[in-house]
Amino acid sequence: MSILEKIHDVPVLMCAVEGEPIRGEREVLDLIGNAGYQGAEWVVVPAERFDDAFFRLRTRVAGDIVQKFVQYRLGMAVIGDISRHTEASSALRDFVRECNRGRQTWFLADVEELRERLADRP
């Protein structure tokens, strides 16, 4: 179950940990459609919802998913501990670092970190 929540006047669709695993385009388009329907500007997805292929950059799943969010002008925050994935891949560490420098896709430890980021946004 996803809930729409306002964080610093920004409508954020908070996805539950339970739910369909996100494996690729079909699940992402459903999520983006739901977010658009509810008027969200950001979508928070627990890291546990992503299939492991998301964290293996050579599969291109992460790039495809991020691109869909960019196309639909939605922010995406992946929330949770992904250290087991970043410890295994320097490419993923670099990808996460670059995403976190931007304004579209963030990999964050928890919702509190998202609150801080959204408070600092112009």
Side-chain angles (χ1 to χ4, degrees):
M1 176 112 196
S2 301
I3 340 169
L4 189 66
E5 181 179 319
K6 285 248 180 163
I7 300 176
H8 301 291
D9 289 328
V10 177
V12 178
L13 185 66
M14 308 289 283
C15 297
V17 174
E18 309 80 34
E20 181 178 11
I22 299 169
R23 292 186 174 94
E25 189 172 329
R26 184 182 62 80
E27 295 88 4
V28 167
L29 289 175
D30 288 347
L31 187 57
I32 288 170
N34 186 18
Y37 177 76
Q38 294 194 44
E41 292 177 18
W42 276 83
V43 177
V44 171
V45 184
E48 301 91 337
R49 290 280 300 274
F50 288 102
D51 185 81
D52 278 350
F54 177 84
F55 299 103
R56 291 190 308 273
L57 294 184
R58 71 180 175 271
T59 66
R60 297 183 175 194
V61 172
D64 291 346
I65 287 173
V66 168
Q67 185 59 38
K68 285 294 177 203
F69 276 91
V70 169
Q71 283 177 322
Y72 287 91
R73 294 188 171 94
L74 282 171
M76 178 178 68
V78 178
I79 303 290
D81 181 12
I82 62 167
S83 60
R84 74 180 175 96
H85 299 290
T86 56
E87 288 168 5
S89 170
S90 62
L92 180 61
R93 273 193 307 275
D94 293 344
F95 179 73
V96 168
R97 185 174 41 253
E98 286 303 312
C99 285
N100 284 344
R101 287 182 181 164
R103 297 177 181 214
Q104 182 74 40
T105 304
W106 297 330
F107 291 81
L108 307 171
D110 53 36
V111 174
E112 190 52 44
E113 196 175 346
L114 175 67
R115 289 182 198 289
E116 291 169 17
R117 288 254 188 152
L118 289 176
D120 293 340
R121 172 185 113 120

